[in-house]
Amino acid sequence: MLRATEGQEYTDVHDELPAHAVRVPTLTSVLLLLVTLISVVSIAKADDQDIQRATIIMDSYSYSPNELSVHAGKPVELTLRNAATFTPHTFHLADPASGLHVHAEVSAGESQTVRFTPNQRGTFTFYCEKKLLFFKSHRERGQEGRLKVR
């Protein structure tokens, strides 16, 4: 923004701001980016029964978190919550080589819990199988995630 004073030429108001005033928006932007990145990845927490529990929110073409980390050989209990108003979603994770096969269909506004024990380490893809005729599938629209077994 330019400002003129009597008898002077226009000056840039930003030249008069203290250095810390310019850094605040940058720091805020960096903090927001970090919070966003942290919320995308989740580590399942084991309870006193050694069951790893986590919740995945299913919404319009997304899972939140879309990346989940668990330990091999310990049971996992996932609560799948469909936050969509009308659309059902699925959670499909199948890897025959590792013995993983988890499938659940969750109606709009509902929740469902699935239990499984991953025995092999690796990264496995889960996704929504829903597709309307002549349209891209939910997976093609980005509704997929990763299960990392450590």
Side-chain angles (χ1 to χ4, degrees):
M1 182 163 100
L2 298 178
R3 178 174 59 186
T5 56
E6 192 175 321
Q8 293 182 331
E9 293 184 25
Y10 286 98
T11 59
D12 191 344
V13 174
H14 294 291
D15 291 341
E16 299 173 17
L17 294 175
H20 71 277
V22 176
R23 283 188 235 137
V24 171
T26 304
L27 179 60
T28 303
S29 298
V30 169
L31 288 175
L32 285 173
L33 177 65
L34 287 174
V35 168
T36 302
L37 291 174
I38 290 169
S39 67
V40 172
V41 178
S42 181
I43 298 174
K45 305 283 186 202
D47 65 8
D48 57 351
Q49 299 171 347
D50 217 19
I51 298 172
Q52 303 172 95
R53 289 190 167 88
T55 298
I56 294 180
I57 308 299
M58 309 158 91
D59 208 346
S60 298
Y61 314 119
S62 68
Y63 291 109
S64 181
N66 65 354
E67 199 168 286
L68 182 64
S69 184
V70 298
H71 292 283
K74 294 185 178 183
V76 174
E77 183 177 283
L78 286 182
T79 300
L80 306 168
R81 188 165 60 95
N82 187 345
T85 307
F86 300 107
T87 310
H89 290 290
T90 65
F91 179 91
H92 186 78
L93 188 156
D95 185 79
S98 69
L100 277 175
H101 183 77
V102 182
H103 182 82
E105 184 163 339
V106 186
S107 298
E110 300 292 322
S111 293
Q112 187 173 341
T113 301
V114 295
R115 294 168 185 86
F116 61 96
T117 302
N119 291 311
Q120 185 174 327
R121 294 174 190 219
T123 300
F124 307 96
T125 301
F126 57 85
Y127 57 92
C128 181
E129 295 179 309
K130 291 295 183 181
K131 180 180 183 344
L132 288 174
L133 191 62
F134 306 118
F135 293 98
K136 289 182 175 181
S137 71
H138 290 201
R139 183 181 192 184
E140 290 170 321
R141 289 177 174 239
Q143 192 171 4
E144 72 174 27
R146 307 278 179 272
L147 176 71
K148 293 185 177 187
V149 181
R150 307 181 272 146

